Amino acid sequence: MINIGVLGFGEAGSAFAAALAGHGAVVRAFDPARDQLDIKLPQISLAGDVKITFCSLAELLASSEIILSTVTTDAALTAAQNCVPNLGPQHIYCDLNSTAPALKLQLHELIQPTSAIFVEGAILGAIGVTGALTKILLGGAYAEELSKTLSKYGLNTAPYSHEIGKASTFKMLRSIFSKGLEALMVEFLLAGKKAGLEDDLWQEVTTLLAENSFDDVARNWVCSHGVAHKRRYHEMAQVSDLLSEMNVEAIMTDATTAFFKRSNDLDLSQDFVGKPDKMDDVIEALLRRVSQKP
Amino acid sequence: MINIGVLGFGEAGSAFAAALAGHGAVVRAFDPARDQLDIKLPQISLAGDVKITFCSLAELLASSEIILSTVTTDAALTAAQNCVPNLGPQHIYCDLNSTAPALKLQLHELIQPTSAIFVEGAILGAIGVTGALTKILLGGAYAEELSKTLSKYGLNTAPYSHEIGKASTFKMLRSIFSKGLEALMVEFLLAGKKAGLEDDLWQEVTTLLAENSFDDVARNWVCSHGVAHKRRYHEMAQVSDLLSEMNVEAIMTDATTAFFKRSNDLDLSQDFVGKPDKMDDVIEALLRRVSQKP
C-alpha cells in the first residue's frame, strides 16, 4: 500500500488525488484554503467512491511517502518551505506547479538538505480537458522510478530528464506555440469579424490544415522563411496598416511584422540561394545572425 | 481565340502566362525590366512549347482583351497609370498584385473613366509552390465572368465578391494566420534550439496536431480563452522572462504575453461562467470589451 500526500486541492490536486485513490493509493490531502472555500464535499463527491482524507500538513507529512505539490505557481516556494522541517529520507517531494526552471532548481536546493528526494513535474495540457490523464513530465535523478509508481496508480507520467529544470523548460517553451497560436487565432477571428469575413477565414485555414498535415504546412513556412521573409515583411506591413485603419489593436500581427522585419534587417536572405530542405538551416542561420547583431 | 496581355514577367506573370498560352490563349507580355534582366529566354523555355510574345506596352494594349497586372505592390499604381491613356471599353484590367484593399479601390477609380472593366485579384498561397494552380480570388462586378474565362485557360480563379476590396481584405487577413504561424514556429524552434530541445518540441506539437484536427485544437483554445486567459497570462509572463534570461529576443512570445494581459486587463472573464461552446462568444465579448475600453 502506498501513501500519497497531495498539497493543494484545486483543479489539479483534486483530479490527481481522485485518480490515485481510485487506483488503490491511500491519499491524504492538505489545503489551507479548504475550510474557507468549502470545497471539501463537492470535490470528494467528484471523486466518486474513493476516499481522500483531509488532514493537517504535519499529519500528511508524517504518513505519506510521496508528496505531490499542486498549489499554485506563487505558492510553490512557501508550500515547500512549510514542509522542510518535517521532510526526511523517507520522502519523495514532487513539485507539479507551473514554474520556471529556476524555481524548480531553487526548490531542489531547499529540499536537498532534508535528504528527501526532489522530483520536478511539468503538466502538459489542460487538466480541465483531460483530467488526471493529462501528461506529466518528471525530471530529476529519481524521475524514472517515481514515474513507474505514479503511472501504476493512475497518473499519466513520463520520465523526461535526469537534470532538474529541463521538463519545466520544455513545458514553458511548448507554451510559445500553444499560447501563441491561441492568441493568433483570437486576433485572426477578431479582425475577421470586424471585416465580416470570419467564417470564410476560419474555413480557409481549417481546410488548408485538413487537407495537408500540420507538419508539412508549418515545415514549408519555416523552410521558406530564409528566402521569402522580405516579400512577406512588405505584405505584413500592409496587413498591420490595414488593421490599424480597421481600428483593431493588432498585438500579434504587429509582432509578426516586426519578426519578418528583423529577418530582413539581419540580411538573412544572404545565407540562402534557394529554399533549404531542412528547417534547421533557417534556425541556425537566424541564430548566427542574431548573435552577430551589433 | 482570346488575347491576354501580361504586365510584369516575374514569378507570377511567367507562371500564369505559360499556363494561359498552354491552354490556347494568345499571350503577350510586357516587362520594362525584361532586357536588363535577360529573362526572356529562360522564362520562355520554362514555359515549354508555348509561345509568349514580348512586345511594347502600346502593342500589348492594342491587341489584348484581358490585361493581367502582375508587377509588384509598389509598381501596381504606376503600371495602371501607364495603361490608362490606351485603355477602353474593349479591355478588362485585372490587378493581381498583393496590395491593400484601398489601393485596389484607387486602381478601380483610376480605370473606371476609361470604360475598361476593372477586376481585383488576390493570389492566395505561394506561386513558388503551386505555380499557376495557385488559387486566385477575383472581385468586382465582372469577377464571375472573368473567372469563367481564366479558369478555362488554365488558372485557378474563383469569384469572391461584387465589391472591390473584399478579396484583398480576405487575403490580407489570411496573412495574420499564415505569416503569424510562420513567425511563431521560427521563434519556437529558435528558443528550442537554444535550450537543446527543438526536436522534442517539434515532435510534441506535430503529434498533437496529427492526432487531433487543427479545427478541434484551435477551436478549443479559442473557446477556453474567455475563462483561462488569466492563468495563461501568468504562465506566459514566466515564458517571456525565461526567454529573456536565455537571451532570446522574444518578439512573438512577448506579444502573446501582451495579448493575454490585455484580456486580463479588460476583465474578459466577467463574461463567462464556464467555457462557451462557440468561438464567437469569446470574439464578440472581446470586441465589446475592447470597444468599451476607456
Side-chain angles (χ1 to χ4, degrees), chain A residues 258-289:
Chain A
F259 192 94
F260 282 88
K261 183 177 188 301
R262 182 184 61 178
S263 294
N264 190 49
D265 291 347
L266 290 171
D267 276 331
L268 180 63
S269 57
Q270 299 293 316
D271 290 331
F272 301 95
V273 282
K275 189 176 104 172
D277 295 329
K278 299 200 317 281
M279 293 190 298
D280 197 45
D281 294 345
V282 174
I283 305 305
E284 278 202 341
L286 195 50
L287 270 182
R288 200 166 49 235
R289 290 202 168 252

Side-chain angles (χ1 to χ4, degrees), chain A residues 160 174 182 200 225 232, chain B residues 160 182 200 204 225 232:
Chain A
Y160 187 66
R174 180 182 180 275
E182 174 181 330
D200 283 8
H225 186 77
R232 291 176 189 160
Chain B
Y160 186 66
E182 174 180 328
D200 283 7
E204 163 78 16
H225 186 76
R232 292 177 188 160

Side-chain angles (χ1 to χ4, degrees), chain A residues 11 73 98-102 124 126 129 135 160 166 168-198 200-202 204-206 208-209 214-215 217-222 224-225 228-229 231-232 235-236 238-239 242-243 245-247 249-256 258-260 262 275 279-280 282-284 286-287 290 293, chain B residues 11 73 98-102 124 126 129 135 160 166 168-198 200-202 204-206 208-210 214-215 217-222 224-225 229 231-232 235-236 238-239 242-243 245-247 249-256 258-260 262 275 279-280 282-284 286-287 290 293:
Chain A
E11 191 180 47
T73 306
S98 294
T99 77
L124 304 183
V129 179
K135 195 164 150 191
Y160 187 66
K166 211 166 164 182
S168 305
T169 301
F170 180 84
K171 178 196 160 83
M172 301 203 103
L173 298 189
R174 180 182 180 275
S175 291
I176 298 175
F177 171 76
S178 57
K179 271 76 171 182
L181 186 58
E182 174 181 330
L184 199 58
M185 295 313 290
V186 173
E187 184 159 304
F188 176 60
L189 290 171
L190 219 140
K193 193 173 179 81
K194 269 223 164 178
L197 299 173
E198 80 269 36
D200 283 8
L201 288 164
W202 184 263
E204 165 77 16
V205 155
T206 52
L208 174 74
L209 287 158
F214 180 83
D215 187 288
V217 171
R219 189 179 292 274
N220 176 56
W221 281 332
V222 172
S224 61
H225 186 77
H229 58 82
R231 178 170 56 74
R232 291 176 189 160
E235 264 188 71
M236 282 313 296
Q238 289 189 78
V239 179
L242 178 63
L243 293 200
E245 284 160 31
M246 285 168 63
N247 225 347
E249 193 189 351
I251 300 174
M252 297 303 291
T253 305
D254 290 347
T256 304
F259 192 94
F260 282 88
R262 182 184 61 178
K275 189 176 104 172
M279 293 190 298
D280 197 45
V282 174
I283 305 305
E284 278 202 341
L286 195 50
L287 270 182
V290 165
K293 204 169 145 179
Chain B
E11 191 181 48
T73 306
S98 294
T99 75
L124 304 184
V129 178
K135 194 163 151 192
Y160 186 66
K166 210 166 164 181
S168 304
T169 300
F170 181 86
K171 179 196 159 81
M172 301 203 103
L173 298 190
R174 181 182 178 274
S175 290
I176 297 175
F177 171 76
S178 56
K179 272 77 174 181
L181 186 58
E182 174 180 328
L184 200 59
M185 296 313 290
V186 173
E187 185 159 304
F188 177 60
L189 291 171
L190 219 140
K193 195 176 177 80
K194 269 222 162 178
L197 300 173
E198 79 269 38
D200 283 7
L201 288 164
W202 185 262
E204 163 78 16
V205 156
T206 52
L208 173 74
L209 286 158
F214 180 84
D215 187 288
V217 172
R219 189 180 293 273
N220 177 55
W221 280 332
V222 172
S224 60
H225 186 76
H229 58 82
R231 178 171 55 75
R232 292 177 188 160
E235 263 189 73
M236 283 311 297
Q238 289 190 79
V239 179
L242 178 64
L243 293 199
E245 284 159 30
M246 284 169 63
N247 224 348
E249 192 188 352
I251 301 175
M252 298 302 292
T253 305
D254 290 348
T256 303
F259 192 93
F260 282 88
R262 181 184 62 178
K275 190 176 103 172
M279 294 190 298
D280 198 44
V282 174
I283 305 306
E284 277 201 343
L286 195 50
L287 270 183
V290 165
K293 204 168 145 179

Side-chain angles (χ1 to χ4, degrees), chain A residues 82-103:
Chain A
N82 291 341
C83 292
V84 161
N86 295 311
L87 283 178
Q90 70 280 23
H91 289 121
I92 300 162
Y93 188 95
C94 177
D95 181 277
L96 291 167
N97 300 294
S98 294
T99 77
L103 184 55

